[in-house]
Amino acid sequence: MRTRFDAIGLVVSDMAASVAFYRRLGFAFPDGAEREPHTEAELPGGLRLLLDTEETVRSFHPGWRAPSGGGRASLALRCAAPAEVDAVYEELTGDGHHGELKPWDAFWGQRYAVVHDPDGNGVDLFAPLPER
């Protein structure tokens, strides 16, 4: 059997808030996606980000319950430059999204920060630091 990594799926409590959040980060969801129970955005390289409402998941898995607490999943998004990590973090936290980790120069050679999406999932923002 051969499998191929194809998609990342997130279960969301508020589709409109999640679509708006990820659109701000450059994900191209179709028009009207915020009103749908399921939506997808194709990512560079052919991967997809799938969003499903909790109600959608319950419709085919009646015993399913949302995990409690944050940190259930994390996406890592590469920024074009270290300054963009700071700018994106400030933009999102300025709009009320929870900043988990302020931008810093990580010892592994990246400008790095973490912000939460509307469901508490981590979104890591990073960019390589210039060689010293």
Side-chain angles (χ1 to χ4, degrees), residues 7-25:
I8 299 163
L10 297 176
V11 178
V12 302
S13 57
D14 183 334
M15 183 64 81
S18 294
V19 167
F21 177 86
Y22 285 106
R23 277 183 176 151
R24 291 188 71 177
L25 292 169

Side-chain angles (χ1 to χ4, degrees), residues 69-86:
R72 299 183 306 259
S74 180
L75 302 178
L77 304 179
R78 184 177 179 143
C79 296
E84 187 178 16
V85 172
D86 294 37

